[in-house]
Amino acid sequence: MANSFDAVIIGSGFGGAIPALRLAQANKKVLVLEQGRVYTENDFKQTWDLKYLSNMMSITTSDDYAVFFRSGMVLGGGSVVFSGLMNRSPSEVFQFVDYNGYRVWPDAVNRQALDPYYDMVESMMQVRQVTWQEVSKTGGMFAKMLDNAGLTCDRARFPYVNCRECGFCEAGCIYGAKQSLMHNYIPQAQAAGVEFRTECRAMLIQPVSTGYTVQYTGPDDSMSSVQGTIVILAAGAIYSPELLLRSKQYLPQLSDQVGKNFNNNGGLRFGLELPEGLPSIECYKGRDSAAVMTYAFWKDYGITIEAGTNPASIFSLNVHRPGSYGWGLDFKHWAKSVYPSRFIIANIMGPVTGEGYVHLKNDLPAVNFPMTKNLSDYINRVIAPIGAFAKINNAILLQTMPSGYMYSIDHMLGTCRIGDDPAYSPADPSGQLRGYPGLFVSDSSSIPCGTGVNPSTTIAANAERIAASIVNNW
């Protein structure tokens, strides 16, 4: 049959393109369905215009509209529109125990088990640690502030070749310096025979005698179907559970954990207003990440921090001094006085318990992500040492939401997590959904908790691990 495949993969980001290549190399007939379009260096623009970005990203808001979440919606998924940070997760991440007393990672999956797969990803994507000469002025100033406080930092790791430090990483790299999946896994998969169908949105999965049928809408909105002996979900932590929940009438044994345990990688964004008299850091220059990471707070607080470079539109995120407003004439005068010379924005990341959930609202995905007591306690706990750090440097700690700190934009995880205990995890350690042989999840939704750093490398390494298991057992 023309529409019959050994494997149908839904999504072409880290969780999809990697298994596609590995299965094709094992002589499997593979189809990848991608909701987004194909974008190349000729299509990218150096702009933060939302109309342009909306062509490559999907935006989902929380039920209370307090938080929005962005996902890559383009061939290559998040690898095309991410900041490029690709550090490995610390070993302690894999020992994380959540608020329920459950150790979320399977016993067989730890840093040692993932290291060979980290190696594979880093080799494929040409990941390397940047030199200090490549660190932006923002990163250099952040490093100096850490040193002033007696804290350490180091240079981050990126998949960039001949980067020009233009600062539009998340808008798509017009120079082709960022080695997204479009530069490695996807072209190699295509050469191995993988078929990629873009502008195709998967709508339903239904078991059949020889595997699963996937119904999807194509570019003309007409409904089509394909059949796969196995199906791999790689649409991300919002859209993979959405598809499963929509298909629940055909998948009655599906775990009630599907869609639950949503977390944002412990993501918390804060700003720093530097004192006057320092050299201008020109905070819009450099990579979207300022290329400096600190693990200095890891032992006591379980978090890492990375600073970023910032376009002027960052102020639309409501950055402001505590007790003041992020709008109005006074805000404009303040913004003019600090931007671009005296302003740093940074991200906290750490393992956290997933307390949100994805559900269907009018047959579309929605996210319930309330400010629980646990989340509020986490924010207060990890922001406290940052206030002390700012004070040592005569800086002012800036808020990033009208009522406090922005606690999510991306890095969604956990909604179809792998695990040892069926009561807490919809998928087994191999990524196979319990009760449904041949139905796998290999994307960010499979990652059980925050990764301690930007999660892309761990998502990719886990996808390599799951792909190897599928090749060996199917």
Side-chain angles (χ1 to χ4, degrees), residues 387-422:
F389 162 71
K391 187 175 182 180
I392 289 171
N393 284 279
N394 296 315
I396 297 173
L397 179 61
L398 303 174
Q399 296 182 336
T400 47
M401 287 286 282
S403 58
Y405 298 93
M406 179 176 288
Y407 55 92
S408 190
I409 293 181
D410 37 28
H411 299 174
M412 296 81 72
L413 306 167
T415 49
C416 298
R417 65 185 183 178
I418 59 174
D420 286 328
D421 191 337

Short mmCIF file of all heavy atoms in Angstrom, two decimals, residues 387-422:
data_model
loop_
_atom_site.label_atom_id
_atom_site.label_comp_id
_atom_site.label_asym_id
_atom_site.label_seq_id
_atom_site.Cartn_x
_atom_site.Cartn_y
_atom_site.Cartn_z
N GLY A 387 18.21 37.89 44.61
CA GLY A 387 18.13 39.22 45.20
C GLY A 387 19.41 39.58 45.94
O GLY A 387 19.92 40.71 45.84
N ALA A 388 19.96 38.62 46.67
CA ALA A 388 21.23 38.86 47.37
C ALA A 388 22.37 39.07 46.38
O ALA A 388 23.24 39.93 46.58
CB ALA A 388 21.53 37.68 48.29
N PHE A 389 22.36 38.30 45.32
CA PHE A 389 23.37 38.43 44.26
C PHE A 389 23.30 39.82 43.63
O PHE A 389 24.33 40.47 43.39
CB PHE A 389 23.14 37.33 43.22
CG PHE A 389 23.79 37.56 41.89
CD1 PHE A 389 25.17 37.46 41.75
CD2 PHE A 389 23.03 37.85 40.77
CE1 PHE A 389 25.77 37.66 40.51
CE2 PHE A 389 23.61 38.05 39.54
CZ PHE A 389 24.99 37.95 39.41
N ALA A 390 22.10 40.31 43.35
CA ALA A 390 21.94 41.64 42.78
C ALA A 390 22.46 42.71 43.74
O ALA A 390 23.16 43.66 43.32
CB ALA A 390 20.47 41.89 42.44
N LYS A 391 22.15 42.57 45.02
CA LYS A 391 22.56 43.57 46.00
C LYS A 391 24.07 43.68 46.08
O LYS A 391 24.63 44.79 46.19
CB LYS A 391 21.97 43.20 47.36
CG LYS A 391 22.19 44.26 48.43
CD LYS A 391 21.48 43.89 49.73
CE LYS A 391 21.67 44.98 50.78
NZ LYS A 391 20.96 44.61 52.06
N ILE A 392 24.78 42.56 46.04
CA ILE A 392 26.25 42.58 46.08
C ILE A 392 26.81 43.41 44.93
O ILE A 392 27.83 44.08 45.07
CB ILE A 392 26.79 41.13 46.02
CG1 ILE A 392 26.50 40.40 47.33
CG2 ILE A 392 28.29 41.11 45.72
CD1 ILE A 392 26.80 38.93 47.30
N ASN A 393 26.11 43.39 43.80
CA ASN A 393 26.57 44.09 42.61
C ASN A 393 25.94 45.47 42.43
O ASN A 393 26.06 46.08 41.35
CB ASN A 393 26.29 43.24 41.36
CG ASN A 393 27.26 42.09 41.23
OD1 ASN A 393 28.37 42.27 40.75
ND2 ASN A 393 26.84 40.90 41.66
N ASN A 394 25.26 45.96 43.49
CA ASN A 394 24.58 47.26 43.43
C ASN A 394 23.60 47.33 42.26
O ASN A 394 23.39 48.38 41.65
CB ASN A 394 25.59 48.41 43.32
CG ASN A 394 26.48 48.51 44.54
OD1 ASN A 394 26.01 48.43 45.67
ND2 ASN A 394 27.79 48.66 44.31
N ALA A 395 23.03 46.17 41.92
CA ALA A 395 22.05 46.08 40.85
C ALA A 395 20.66 45.97 41.45
O ALA A 395 20.49 45.71 42.65
CB ALA A 395 22.35 44.87 39.96
N ILE A 396 19.65 46.17 40.62
CA ILE A 396 18.25 46.07 41.06
C ILE A 396 17.63 44.85 40.39
O ILE A 396 17.71 44.69 39.16
CB ILE A 396 17.47 47.35 40.69
CG1 ILE A 396 18.05 48.55 41.42
CG2 ILE A 396 15.99 47.18 41.02
CD1 ILE A 396 17.45 49.88 41.00
N LEU A 397 17.02 43.99 41.19
CA LEU A 397 16.34 42.82 40.67
C LEU A 397 15.01 43.25 40.08
O LEU A 397 14.17 43.83 40.76
CB LEU A 397 16.13 41.79 41.79
CG LEU A 397 15.40 40.50 41.43
CD1 LEU A 397 16.16 39.73 40.36
CD2 LEU A 397 15.19 39.66 42.68
N LEU A 398 14.80 42.96 38.80
CA LEU A 398 13.61 43.40 38.08
C LEU A 398 12.61 42.26 37.94
O LEU A 398 12.99 41.10 37.74
CB LEU A 398 13.99 43.90 36.68
CG LEU A 398 15.02 45.03 36.63
CD1 LEU A 398 15.40 45.33 35.19
CD2 LEU A 398 14.49 46.29 37.31
N GLN A 399 11.35 42.60 38.01
CA GLN A 399 10.29 41.62 37.82
C GLN A 399 9.93 41.53 36.33
O GLN A 399 10.19 42.44 35.55
CB GLN A 399 9.07 41.98 38.66
CG GLN A 399 9.36 41.93 40.16
CD GLN A 399 8.14 42.23 41.00
OE1 GLN A 399 7.21 42.88 40.56
NE2 GLN A 399 8.16 41.74 42.24
N THR A 400 9.30 40.41 35.96
CA THR A 400 9.01 40.17 34.54
C THR A 400 7.55 39.85 34.28
O THR A 400 7.19 39.38 33.20
CB THR A 400 9.88 39.00 34.03
OG1 THR A 400 9.80 37.91 34.96
CG2 THR A 400 11.33 39.42 33.87
N MET A 401 6.70 40.08 35.26
CA MET A 401 5.26 39.96 35.12
C MET A 401 4.63 41.06 35.96
O MET A 401 5.26 41.57 36.89
CB MET A 401 4.77 38.59 35.60
CG MET A 401 5.11 37.44 34.67
SD MET A 401 4.10 37.40 33.17
CE MET A 401 2.58 36.70 33.81
N PRO A 402 3.39 41.44 35.68
CA PRO A 402 2.77 42.49 36.49
C PRO A 402 2.77 42.17 37.98
O PRO A 402 2.91 43.07 38.80
CB PRO A 402 1.34 42.54 35.94
CG PRO A 402 1.47 42.08 34.53
CD PRO A 402 2.54 41.05 34.54
N SER A 403 2.65 40.89 38.34
CA SER A 403 2.56 40.53 39.75
C SER A 403 3.79 39.80 40.27
O SER A 403 3.77 39.28 41.38
CB SER A 403 1.32 39.65 39.97
OG SER A 403 1.40 38.49 39.17
N GLY A 404 4.85 39.73 39.49
CA GLY A 404 6.02 39.00 39.97
C GLY A 404 6.96 38.62 38.85
O GLY A 404 7.45 39.47 38.12
N TYR A 405 7.16 37.31 38.66
CA TYR A 405 8.16 36.82 37.72
C TYR A 405 7.53 35.89 36.70
O TYR A 405 6.67 35.06 37.02
CB TYR A 405 9.28 36.09 38.47
CG TYR A 405 10.00 37.01 39.43
CD1 TYR A 405 9.61 37.11 40.76
CD2 TYR A 405 11.03 37.83 38.98
CE1 TYR A 405 10.23 37.98 41.63
CE2 TYR A 405 11.66 38.71 39.84
CZ TYR A 405 11.26 38.78 41.16
OH TYR A 405 11.88 39.65 42.01
N MET A 406 7.96 36.05 35.46
CA MET A 406 7.46 35.19 34.40
C MET A 406 7.96 33.77 34.64
O MET A 406 9.17 33.53 34.69
CB MET A 406 7.94 35.70 33.03
CG MET A 406 7.48 34.84 31.87
SD MET A 406 7.96 35.54 30.28
CE MET A 406 6.83 36.93 30.20
N TYR A 407 7.05 32.83 34.77
CA TYR A 407 7.46 31.47 35.12
C TYR A 407 7.24 30.47 34.01
O TYR A 407 7.31 29.27 34.24
CB TYR A 407 6.78 31.00 36.40
CG TYR A 407 5.26 31.05 36.43
CD1 TYR A 407 4.50 29.96 36.06
CD2 TYR A 407 4.61 32.20 36.85
CE1 TYR A 407 3.12 30.01 36.11
CE2 TYR A 407 3.24 32.26 36.90
CZ TYR A 407 2.49 31.16 36.53
OH TYR A 407 1.12 31.22 36.56
N SER A 408 6.98 30.91 32.80
CA SER A 408 7.01 29.97 31.68
C SER A 408 6.87 30.69 30.36
O SER A 408 6.13 31.66 30.25
CB SER A 408 5.91 28.93 31.80
OG SER A 408 6.10 27.91 30.84
N ILE A 409 7.59 30.21 29.36
CA ILE A 409 7.38 30.58 27.97
C ILE A 409 7.48 29.31 27.12
O ILE A 409 6.61 29.00 26.33
CB ILE A 409 8.41 31.61 27.47
CG1 ILE A 409 8.22 32.95 28.18
CG2 ILE A 409 8.27 31.83 25.97
CD1 ILE A 409 9.19 34.01 27.72
N ASP A 410 8.56 28.58 27.33
CA ASP A 410 8.78 27.38 26.54
C ASP A 410 9.31 26.28 27.46
O ASP A 410 9.09 26.33 28.66
CB ASP A 410 9.75 27.65 25.38
CG ASP A 410 10.87 28.61 25.77
OD1 ASP A 410 11.23 28.67 26.96
OD2 ASP A 410 11.38 29.31 24.89
N HIS A 411 9.96 25.27 26.92
CA HIS A 411 10.50 24.16 27.71
C HIS A 411 9.40 23.38 28.40
O HIS A 411 9.52 23.01 29.57
CB HIS A 411 11.52 24.65 28.75
CG HIS A 411 12.70 25.34 28.17
ND1 HIS A 411 13.67 25.96 28.96
CD2 HIS A 411 13.13 25.51 26.89
CE1 HIS A 411 14.60 26.49 28.19
NE2 HIS A 411 14.29 26.23 26.93
N MET A 412 8.31 23.09 27.70
CA MET A 412 7.23 22.30 28.29
C MET A 412 7.61 20.82 28.29
O MET A 412 8.13 20.31 27.30
CB MET A 412 5.94 22.50 27.51
CG MET A 412 5.41 23.92 27.56
SD MET A 412 6.23 25.02 26.39
CE MET A 412 5.56 24.44 24.86
N LEU A 413 7.33 20.14 29.39
CA LEU A 413 7.76 18.76 29.58
C LEU A 413 6.70 17.94 30.33
O LEU A 413 5.82 18.49 30.96
CB LEU A 413 9.06 18.72 30.40
CG LEU A 413 10.25 19.56 29.93
CD1 LEU A 413 11.31 19.64 31.02
CD2 LEU A 413 10.85 18.99 28.65
N GLY A 414 6.81 16.61 30.24
CA GLY A 414 6.23 15.72 31.22
C GLY A 414 4.86 15.13 30.98
O GLY A 414 4.41 14.29 31.77
N THR A 415 4.15 15.51 29.94
CA THR A 415 2.74 15.15 29.81
C THR A 415 2.49 13.73 29.32
O THR A 415 1.35 13.26 29.38
CB THR A 415 2.04 16.13 28.87
OG1 THR A 415 2.83 16.27 27.68
CG2 THR A 415 1.91 17.50 29.52
N CYS A 416 3.52 13.04 28.84
CA CYS A 416 3.42 11.61 28.49
C CYS A 416 4.68 10.92 29.01
O CYS A 416 5.34 10.18 28.28
CB CYS A 416 3.28 11.40 26.98
SG CYS A 416 1.83 12.13 26.23
N ARG A 417 5.01 11.17 30.24
CA ARG A 417 6.33 10.84 30.74
C ARG A 417 6.60 9.33 30.81
O ARG A 417 5.69 8.53 31.06
CB ARG A 417 6.56 11.47 32.10
CG ARG A 417 5.68 10.98 33.23
CD ARG A 417 5.94 11.79 34.50
NE ARG A 417 5.15 11.30 35.63
CZ ARG A 417 5.22 11.81 36.84
NH1 ARG A 417 6.02 12.83 37.09
NH2 ARG A 417 4.48 11.32 37.83
N ILE A 418 7.85 8.98 30.59
CA ILE A 418 8.30 7.63 30.79
C ILE A 418 8.49 7.38 32.29
O ILE A 418 8.66 8.33 33.06
CB ILE A 418 9.61 7.36 30.03
CG1 ILE A 418 10.72 8.32 30.49
CG2 ILE A 418 9.40 7.45 28.52
CD1 ILE A 418 12.09 8.04 29.90
N GLY A 419 8.49 6.12 32.69
CA GLY A 419 8.70 5.81 34.09
C GLY A 419 8.57 4.33 34.37
O GLY A 419 8.17 3.55 33.49
N ASP A 420 8.89 3.95 35.58
CA ASP A 420 8.81 2.55 35.99
C ASP A 420 7.44 2.17 36.52
O ASP A 420 7.02 1.01 36.43
CB ASP A 420 9.86 2.25 37.06
CG ASP A 420 11.28 2.19 36.50
OD1 ASP A 420 11.43 1.77 35.34
OD2 ASP A 420 12.21 2.57 37.23
N ASP A 421 6.73 3.11 37.13
CA ASP A 421 5.46 2.82 37.80
C ASP A 421 4.29 3.20 36.89
O ASP A 421 4.10 4.38 36.59
CB ASP A 421 5.38 3.59 39.11
CG ASP A 421 4.22 3.14 39.99
OD1 ASP A 421 3.25 2.59 39.45
OD2 ASP A 421 4.28 3.36 41.21
N PRO A 422 3.46 2.23 36.47
CA PRO A 422 2.32 2.55 35.61
C PRO A 422 1.33 3.52 36.23
O PRO A 422 0.60 4.21 35.50
CB PRO A 422 1.66 1.17 35.39
CG PRO A 422 2.73 0.18 35.66
CD PRO A 422 3.59 0.79 36.74
#
